[in-house]
Amino acid sequence: MTAYIDVDVRPILRAGGEPFSVIMAALERLEPGQGLRLYATFKPIPLFAVMADKGFAHSAQPLEGDEWEVLFTPAEPPKKEPGVSPSTDWGFAPWPEPLVKLDNRDLEPPEPMVKILAAADKLGPGETLSALLRREPVFLFPQLEKRGFRWLGGFLPDGTTYELTVRAPI
């Protein structure tokens, strides 16, 4: 039977905050075989893909007042290189210079994701765009992959700017 650590992000969400870092910090504290019990003010569907990538299955049940309890249980972790989209058929050939450069550091979610997806949809086959962000765009990655885009990303040496490069399907 899985032991769960409780993480209640409802107060953070009610205050208009972003609980992702709290959830990831709790995830770091898990012992092998432990799971996470999350309480939220909405069904956190985008988080399901993020947690699946980290090796967790989920089950969600509604609570009173449109709130949710979600159990994240350890599952077989996926085999993929962190920071690189799973679609790595591009080999080691260099990507072309970005045609579009976006600075989304001053935008509030979901604006960065909306602008990146809109710009990516205008790219020609194999073309790239780059974007600067305040945080790792974990909810954007599944959307890019669904559309067939590949991506590379990571924090710049300043530790506060995340640089993302997106490549259109060839």
Side-chain angles (χ1 to χ4, degrees):
M1 185 163 161
T2 304
Y4 293 92
I5 291 179
D6 290 345
V7 178
D8 189 347
V9 297
R10 293 174 293 188
I12 297 169
L13 292 167
R14 286 185 191 117
E18 170 58 58
F20 187 74
S21 61
V22 171
I23 297 166
M24 292 300 107
L27 196 60
E28 295 286 324
R29 295 191 308 266
L30 293 180
E31 297 292 327
Q34 280 187 316
L36 193 84
R37 180 180 292 116
L38 178 72
Y39 295 98
T41 57
F42 63 94
K43 188 174 184 180
I45 294 170
L47 186 60
F48 298 163
V50 172
M51 294 296 283
D53 285 347
K54 294 188 177 294
F56 289 85
H58 73 274
S59 64
Q61 66 178 22
L63 302 174
E64 287 185 24
D66 293 326
E67 295 184 346
W68 288 83
E69 175 189 70
V70 183
L71 296 177
F72 290 103
T73 307
E76 181 67 29
K79 293 175 175 61
K80 76 174 199 177
E81 189 178 333
V84 179
S85 66
S87 175
T88 56
D89 59 344
W90 47 270
F92 295 102
W95 286 10
E97 282 296 311
L99 291 178
V100 178
K101 295 184 179 187
L102 304 171
D103 187 344
N104 291 337
R105 292 177 286 185
D106 293 332
L107 301 177
E108 293 297 320
E111 286 182 86
M113 182 164 80
V114 170
K115 287 188 177 279
I116 291 168
L117 289 172
D121 285 339
K122 294 177 184 173
L123 294 174
E127 292 179 339
T128 64
L129 70 80
S130 69
L132 301 176
L133 303 140
R134 284 188 300 202
R135 60 178 65 104
E136 183 177 13
V138 294
F139 300 121
L140 174 62
F141 299 148
Q143 297 302 316
L144 289 170
E145 291 170 12
K146 283 181 192 173
R147 291 168 167 81
F149 291 96
R150 292 169 285 185
W151 56 270
L152 298 169
F155 281 96
L156 296 177
D158 69 8
T160 61
T161 301
Y162 190 92
E163 184 176 33
L164 175 69
T165 303
V166 176
R167 186 173 186 189
I170 297 177

